[in-house]
Amino acid sequence: MTTIGIGTLYRNRDVIEGPVRTLLFQDRIRLVPNPHAAESPRAPDLLVYSGDDHEIGGAWACRREDRPVFYNVQIRDPHVSRPIHATLCPSDQDGDRFDLFWSH
């Protein structure tokens, strides 16, 4: 399995945002808390928005006792037949920095 870093995002209060780049997808995204997350166990914890404020995906928190919270992210792009599945991990260097990795 190949893992590629496709973005570095930063937390600004309760929003995580930054540029994301793949061969076909290039945009600035924002991950914001989902106000309906508590209504369903399958609802994403965060909603993903494109730079022009269209909802393009979701992120689900993964919690483990021995590790910081990370997120499984799904980004839908009309140019690609399947969603981009990525992992958003907090950086060891900066508490407000997150790295987005795409594995395929």
Side-chain angles (χ1 to χ4, degrees), residues 28-89:
R28 185 167 189 83
I29 65 168
R30 290 180 303 112
L31 290 89
V32 300
N34 180 359
H36 305 291
E39 295 173 13
S40 168
R42 298 184 74 183
D45 297 290
L46 303 173
L47 299 174
V48 181
Y49 289 93
S50 64
D52 56 2
D53 287 331
H54 289 96
E55 184 180 328
I56 59 170
W60 290 261
C62 296
R63 294 173 175 83
R64 297 195 177 133
E65 292 179 20
D66 58 335
R67 294 172 52 183
V69 173
F70 65 96
Y71 295 89
N72 287 323
V73 180
Q74 185 179 79
I75 300 172
R76 293 180 298 278
D77 178 9
H79 300 102
V80 182
S81 61
R82 291 188 284 187
I84 297 168
H85 294 277
T87 304
L88 184 67
C89 303

Side-chain angles (χ1 to χ4, degrees), residues 12-24:
N12 183 3
R13 296 190 187 133
D14 60 344
V15 175
I16 301 170
E17 59 187 338
V20 173
R21 285 194 107 131
T22 70
L23 291 175
L24 296 174

